[in-house]
Amino acid sequence: MSAFFKLLARNRMALGGLVVMGLVVVLALITPLLPLIDPDVTNTADRFQPPFSPGHLLGTDQLGRDLLSRLLWGTRLSLAVGFAAALFAAVAGAAVGIIAGFYGGRTDNVIMRGVDMLMAFPYILLALAIVAALGPGLVNALIAVSVVNIPFFARNIRGITVGLAHKEFVDAAKLAGMSNRRIILSEILPNVIPVIVIAMSTTIGWMILETAGLSFLGLGSQPPQADLGSMLGEARSALITNPHTSVIPGIMILIIVMSINLLGDGVRDALDPRLKSGALSRPMAATRVDRKDKPAARTQTEGLLSLENLHTQFHVKNRVYKAVSGVSLSVKPGECLGVIGESGSGKSVTALSIMGLVASPPGVITGGAARLEGRDMIGAPYPELRSLRGRRVAYIFQDPLATLHPLYKVGDQLIEAISCHRAISKSDGRAKAIDLLRSVRIPNAEERIDSYPHEMSGGMRQRVGIAMALANDPDVIIADEPTTALDVTVQAQILSLLNDLRRERGLAIIFITHDFGVVAQLCDRVAVMYAGRIVETGPTMAVLDAPAHPYTARLIACVPELGAGKRKLEAIPGLPPSVDELPMGCAFAPRCLRAQEACQQGEIALAGEDTRAVRCLFPETTLAEETA
Amino acid sequence: MSIALQVTDLSKTFPVGKKLFGGAKGAVKAVHPITLSVNTGETLGIVGESGCGKSTLARMLVGLIPATTGQIEIEGAALNTADPADFGKRIQYVFQDPISSLNPRKTIRQIMDAPLKLLHKMDRPAREKRILEIFDSVNLRADFLDRYPHEFSGGQAQRIGIARALAAQARILILDEPVSALDVSVQAQVLNLLADLKHEFGLTYLFISHDLAVVEAVSDRIAVLYFGSVVEEGRAEEIFANPRHPYTKLLAESAPVVGRALGDPEQGQAELPNPLNPPPGCAFANRCPYASGQCRKTVPVLEQIGPDQRVACYHPLPSA
């Protein structure tokens, strides 16, 4: 709650709205206590007194009634009616929406078609029709405004409820013996209340305006009772001769609606989880770079692509998440390097940092270099980076359904990937795209090119993802868990495809995964990451057969292997450390059986020959026997 | 040995293209009639790839979706398939995604309270005592009870999910991919915990997963599902080492194993048949190197082929 107010206060406009609205509400609340003249007492002798006349601070209206008193009483009434209408519309709309969304099927269809019909009538016409049927009066105006606004709430809430009703926690509640009524009240409702509040805060201003509108037409509050709309309506005839009688209630309406809308926008921004996580703040085109020591722009490197002491951090509020702290690695043409680690180990961030694809904010590259043929690409000007992305260094991502655009045919997306980097005619592009689809062994490439992503199976989509990565004959492919979302039989096909491609084309592959089996089959060398660092690296078979770092050894022991039968598995107790609170020294020490005091006292270097290295003071010499 | 769970001809057909009034345009058979039994204290593993109907089967078993045909018996008594609360006390479910199976707006205590209060009508002190006992057995600290789900890691949240299932005091647990959302080091912790709990409380498990190695490591028997049918069933240590159905063999050969050369055992495409228009015979026939004319005409039925092995194939592979 206090976080909510902090967020709200950060928005200056919303804070202003809150203050003004607060003042208006306080004034409306204390109106009966103020020493005001009775708002309904007429005194035709004193009619149309200008503002600041004695006894009447804001003057009087056409019947000589005190305008200040009428304004305050009228504001009180208008606010009350507006709030009541919003509340009524929200409750009724939410009830309709939740029931439709939760039960779904025919119930949903019937209710929502009814709501659609309600929406088909022009807004004000429907309100007028309702008032005409019920007769003029403030309560009837309130009902009319509420009913007109029910569809807005119902549709909003139904959408949210449909999503929630299929969540696993609702299934779990059913299995815990809850009735549908109880599920709606205790599982669904608490999750939709923020949405209701957001919808209310953005519509309440409208509702006040609409009730004022009906009163203005004489259908709302009846004389002599004052509300802002009826005050305007009665002053209309004297608009030219005595403008103050209409300007004063007009200004009040303006103040109320403006401050409510500003406040409502602020409330929405503070409550909406998507806005809170910054999803709507557009990331920069390339990751922000803020390096203390700038490495040489060009050096001689051994590998085709090499990372030198790369540091990438996420700066969120006042916390610093050190996702990658000093990673160095390199790949040669035709070589496949496996990067293995658990979630949060920094393997994906390492991969994305290479081409500046880490979202900024909050990502910042704070040190190191990523060299393609010796040239540092970190901090390279954006046009240069863009020409390298996809042309020299291409990516394959985990979820092909998320990386392909759902509304374009796969062929068009492939042609676009080609035409980004060189001018190509439409027919040549199409021919090249068909070639690409063939090269990733998609059967009937000529027909498949006109398919949409959703028409393909997961395996086929990932082939399209690979084809797209190959479109511009890149030198390096960075594959981030490309087979994790796929079934084993499909995984085997994709892996063998990648393996053939790198042999045929001399591609360098950085293959990110959490699966030792995949690494063993595909990769020449492997780097094991833990808490943002490489803890061990070496030729794949050497690392797998004789892991030197205790983490590697125990991670391998954790993985059940096919063919070993039913058994108790080795487990690593505890959790990886959070990268915003990394311990001194070895990050694995708190979970390690070999750890000694020295492990947590200072930096431990990655030590060893150039191909085989380990970051450990007390490495395992043989295969782990003492793991618990 | 007594039978804990007996499933007879259980099937599920989903209507497709339902209109506002009137019937559906087509139907998808997600699960073809399945007959299975699980002995008390046993773990039956169910493996299959995406789209094979394993989750539909699991959700039918706990009453989250009504079965189209067939019946479910638990410890000899048939279940009222219309009432999830009746299921709740006898069979429970552990979800794949540990975080989304916990209501983000409720404390862990409120989540744990629900089954005790609603299924077992316990009063407050009894519930408190029981929650602490359960938390102790799943190695969770009591001070977690007043926190909200987003404060937990995947492994901890999955333990909470298991604790909730235990609170219902059902003797059978359906574990639907319980570790596939977890990291390997945490996966092993949860699998070991499940093994300990089974021993401690005398539970019976139905363990569903797409990961052959995980299923093999925890199961006594395994059933392989393809396109909504059981194609092979046998002892865990036998079924992948000595597969009799060509699909089981394909699965076993596709799994990445350290020390095995990379290869594509199928040399081509592997796509499931169209569920709206299934082939008349064996669903695997168009991917199967041994398929004959008979395979493409009639569906093979599951037949006993060894003492503990059943297979649905006209041309089962020779036993090694």
Side-chain angles (χ1 to χ4, degrees):
Chain A
M1 205 62 198
S2 66
F4 163 71
F5 278 112
K6 252 184 221 157
L7 273 171
L8 189 62
R10 227 175 34 188
N11 184 340
R12 286 295 142 96
M13 300 286 268
L15 190 65
L18 179 68
V19 170
V20 174
M21 198 57 219
L23 278 175
V24 173
V25 168
V26 167
L27 266 180
L29 286 177
I30 62 167
T31 300
L33 306 175
L34 295 176
L36 292 170
I37 307 165
D38 186 325
D40 297 341
V41 169
T42 55
N43 180 4
T44 35
D46 272 349
R47 62 202 289 258
F48 291 131
Q49 293 282 320
F52 307 113
S53 40
H56 303 290
L57 190 60
L58 294 180
T60 58
D61 67 359
Q62 78 283 6
L63 294 174
R65 295 175 293 196
D66 181 52
L67 266 180
L68 177 65
S69 170
R70 281 184 78 72
L71 181 74
L72 289 180
W73 282 98
T75 303
R76 187 177 154 89
L77 194 63
S78 285
L79 280 181
V81 172
F83 278 117
L87 202 65
F88 184 81
V91 170
V96 168
I98 288 178
I99 288 170
F102 183 76
Y103 288 99
R106 204 151 287 172
T107 317
D108 183 30
N109 242 323
V110 170
I111 292 182
M112 292 321 287
R113 294 303 79 80
V115 166
D116 287 347
M117 273 189 249
L118 207 55
M119 285 196 104
F121 290 100
Y123 216 51
I124 196 78
L125 215 62
L126 182 61
L128 284 174
I130 294 172
V131 176
L134 297 176
L138 203 52
V139 175
N140 294 341
L142 189 154
I143 292 173
V145 171
S146 306
V147 169
V148 164
N149 281 289
I150 284 176
F152 168 77
F153 283 94
R155 291 171 71 112
N156 247 333
I157 304 296
R158 176 197 169 262
I160 304 289
T161 310
V162 167
L164 288 170
H166 294 103
K167 282 269 164 93
E168 293 183 331
F169 67 79
V170 172
D171 288 339
K174 282 184 194 155
L175 291 172
M178 288 195 190
S179 60
N180 281 338
R181 195 169 56 93
R182 208 186 184 108
I183 289 174
I184 286 178
L185 291 178
S186 85
E187 306 286 321
I188 305 277
L189 192 60
N191 285 292
V192 295
I193 278 181
V195 185
I196 300 178
V197 172
I198 291 167
M200 261 182 81
S201 65
T202 48
T203 49
I204 204 163
W206 273 110
M207 305 233 190
I208 292 174
L209 272 184
E210 281 157 22
T211 11
L214 287 177
S215 291
F216 178 82
L217 296 174
L219 300 170
S221 78
Q222 297 301 308
Q225 196 178 34
D227 83 345
L228 295 173
S230 65
M231 284 175 74
L232 267 182
E234 287 162 11
R236 187 177 35 170
S237 52
L239 183 64
I240 307 296
T241 50
N242 292 289
H244 71 276
T245 49
S246 27
V247 167
I248 288 169
I251 287 177
M252 190 48 125
I253 292 181
L254 181 77
I255 289 176
I256 292 177
V257 174
M258 278 295 283
S259 60
I260 287 188
N261 284 352
L262 288 175
L263 178 64
D265 285 355
V267 167
R268 184 196 58 208
D269 291 357
L271 276 182
D272 197 325
R274 278 172 310 165
L275 295 164
K276 218 185 319 190
S277 65
L280 295 189
S281 68
R282 214 168 133 219
M284 287 153 53
T287 309
R288 193 156 73 82
V289 177
D290 180 16
R291 290 183 291 189
K292 296 245 156 34
D293 308 306
K294 217 169 170 192
R298 184 178 280 280
T299 56
Q300 208 59 38
T301 53
E302 236 179 81
L304 175 64
L305 176 75
S306 55
L307 300 185
E308 289 167 10
N309 200 22
L310 183 78
H311 285 78
T312 305
Q313 303 181 341
F314 291 96
H315 294 185
V316 182
K317 285 178 199 156
N318 41 18
R319 309 196 111 172
V320 175
Y321 295 85
K322 294 179 185 161
V324 179
S325 342
V327 164
S328 303
L329 46 83
S330 75
V331 267
K332 293 198 261 297
E335 188 184 40
C336 179
L337 170 73
V339 177
I340 199 163
E342 296 182 88
S343 49
S345 62
K347 54 192 195 303
S348 289
V349 178
T350 304
L352 293 174
S353 300
I354 296 171
M355 281 281 120
L357 289 172
V358 179
S360 276
V364 188
I365 295 175
T366 53
R371 298 182 188 282
L372 184 68
E373 290 174 335
R375 171 135 176 44
D376 186 11
M377 296 178 294
I378 284 171
Y382 178 60
E384 190 187 332
L385 206 55
R386 200 180 149 202
S387 101
L388 291 172
R389 285 179 182 172
R391 189 170 61 85
R392 306 282 320 265
V393 181
Y395 284 84
I396 303 170
F397 295 100
Q398 177 173 344
D399 181 1
L401 192 57
T403 44
L404 293 175
H405 197 297
L407 298 182
Y408 293 97
K409 293 174 181 168
V410 295
D412 294 340
Q413 299 189 51
L414 273 171
I415 295 167
E416 189 189 10
I418 303 165
S419 61
C420 266
H421 292 293
R422 58 193 144 110
I424 189 164
S425 74
K426 212 165 172 195
S427 57
D428 285 355
R430 195 176 163 86
K432 168 88 179 158
I434 292 175
D435 273 355
L436 283 168
L437 291 180
R438 277 208 197 102
S439 71
V440 293
R441 298 183 210 144
I442 289 185
N444 308 327
E446 294 84 353
E447 288 165 38
R448 286 295 200 164
I449 192 167
D450 290 319
S451 306
Y452 288 95
H454 70 90
E455 295 170 333
M456 306 181 117
S457 66
M460 285 298 146
R461 279 198 292 264
Q462 193 56 291
R463 282 165 206 257
V464 174
I466 295 173
M468 202 175 277
L470 294 174
N472 295 294
D473 285 315
D475 303 305
V476 184
I477 283 194
I478 298 171
D480 190 353
E481 306 243 17
T483 59
T484 306
L486 304 177
D487 286 322
V488 275
T489 54
V490 183
Q491 168 171 293
Q493 297 167 13
I494 298 285
L495 292 179
S496 102
L497 171 66
L498 277 173
N499 200 30
D500 294 348
L501 288 173
R502 77 155 160 141
R503 298 212 189 285
E504 288 161 17
R505 303 187 178 211
L507 279 170
I509 299 181
I510 296 183
F511 194 94
I512 293 164
T513 180
H514 65 274
D515 189 328
F516 279 105
V518 171
V519 164
Q521 290 191 318
L522 185 66
C523 300
D524 307 306
R525 286 187 301 121
V526 63
V528 183
M529 285 189 73
Y530 187 76
R533 293 178 167 196
I534 292 179
V535 294
E536 179 166 8
T537 176
T540 306
M541 275 318 155
V543 173
L544 292 184
D545 288 344
H549 198 285
Y551 173 65
T552 318
R554 295 182 60 192
L555 194 61
I556 292 173
C558 274
V559 183
E561 207 173 301
L562 195 62
K566 192 181 177 186
R567 67 205 170 275
K568 198 161 174 74
L569 298 163
E570 304 292 343
I572 309 177
L575 293 171
S578 171
V579 285
D580 61 331
E581 292 164 344
L582 284 178
M584 275 277 282
C586 176
F588 186 62
R591 301 170 77 186
C592 183
L593 296 174
R594 301 172 78 91
Q596 301 188 16
E597 262 176 48
C599 294
Q600 293 190 290
Q601 277 165 353
E603 285 295 298
I604 297 162
L606 194 64
E609 310 290 308
D610 49 8
T611 56
R612 184 95 173 85
V614 61
R615 193 188 291 277
C616 183
L617 296 177
F618 310 100
E620 318 253 341
T621 41
T622 55
L623 258 170
E625 289 150 331
E626 63 279 72
T627 45
Chain B
M1 212 186 289
S2 64
I3 289 175
L5 172 69
Q6 172 72 48
V7 172
T8 316
D9 286 332
L10 198 67
S11 78
K12 180 70 198 177
T13 307
F14 290 108
V16 178
K18 224 174 178 173
K19 285 170 275 180
L20 179 52
F21 301 105
K25 274 185 254 165
V28 168
K29 271 200 155 180
V31 175
H32 297 256
I34 280 182
T35 300
L36 276 177
S37 63
V38 191
N39 294 324
T40 307
E42 188 185 41
T43 298
L44 174 68
I46 295 198
V47 261
E49 297 184 278
S50 49
C52 73
K54 54 189 192 301
S55 279
T56 308
L57 173 65
R59 294 166 64 81
M60 276 196 286
L61 290 177
V62 288
L64 286 173
I65 44 179
T68 307
T69 67
Q71 64 170 345
I72 304 161
E73 274 172 42
I74 289 172
E75 285 158 353
L79 275 175
N80 170 11
T81 47
D83 179 14
D86 184 31
F87 282 82
K89 274 188 267 188
R90 297 155 78 183
I91 186 161
Q92 272 291 339
Y93 194 83
V94 175
F95 293 87
Q96 172 171 5
D97 182 344
I99 302 283
S100 86
S101 72
L102 304 174
N103 188 341
R105 305 235 162 221
K106 286 189 153 186
T107 63
I108 305 306
R109 187 188 303 277
Q110 288 172 311
I111 290 169
M112 291 293 296
D113 256 350
L116 296 173
K117 192 156 73 183
L118 298 169
L119 294 174
H120 295 286
K121 318 279 179 231
M122 286 189 183
D123 58 8
R124 187 175 257 281
R127 292 203 300 262
E128 183 67 33
K129 186 164 162 279
R130 181 84 188 113
I131 290 175
L132 290 178
E133 279 170 21
I134 296 168
F135 258 48
D136 192 44
S137 49
V138 297
N139 307 330
L140 287 172
R141 295 204 309 271
D143 61 303
F144 286 177
L145 283 170
D146 295 310
R147 298 202 204 160
Y148 286 90
H150 66 90
E151 297 173 56
F152 296 96
S153 68
Q156 287 168 330
Q158 193 57 289
R159 278 167 209 262
I160 295 168
I162 293 169
R164 171 176 57 193
L166 291 176
Q169 289 180 1
R171 305 248 290 282
I172 306 173
L173 289 193
I174 310 285
L175 306 154
D176 188 2
E177 304 257 11
V179 294
S180 60
L182 307 177
D183 271 320
V184 278
S185 70
V186 182
Q187 166 181 304
Q189 291 173 13
V190 172
L191 291 176
N192 287 342
L193 171 71
L194 284 170
D196 294 344
L197 292 173
K198 184 179 164 191
H199 186 71
E200 191 180 337
F201 297 107
L203 300 171
T204 303
Y205 289 161
L206 202 82
F207 191 102
I208 296 168
S209 178
H210 69 281
D211 188 327
L212 308 191
V214 166
V215 169
E216 191 196 50
V218 300
S219 305
D220 299 301
R221 283 189 306 128
I222 292 172
V224 180
L225 237 60
Y226 183 75
F227 202 63
S229 307
V230 176
V231 295
E232 185 166 4
E233 191 191 320
R235 301 206 59 77
E237 62 271 22
E238 278 286 305
I239 194 159
F240 296 123
N242 188 11
R244 307 296 296 274
H245 195 285
Y247 176 65
T248 317
K249 182 168 184 279
L250 172 67
L251 271 184
E253 286 177 355
S254 302
V257 171
V258 177
R260 185 158 76 195
L262 189 60
D264 176 0
E266 262 188 299
Q267 297 298 333
Q269 62 162 337
E271 290 201 68
L272 288 171
N274 179 2
L276 276 168
N277 183 20
C282 173
F284 188 62
N286 61 350
R287 290 171 70 178
C288 181
Y290 313 100
S292 66
Q294 190 187 14
C295 301
R296 295 182 210 280
K297 268 192 232 117
T298 46
V299 182
V301 292
L302 202 59
E303 278 171 357
Q304 203 78 27
I305 194 167
D308 285 310
Q309 207 147 359
R310 295 195 295 164
V311 64
C313 184
Y314 292 121
H315 313 288
L317 303 166
S319 99

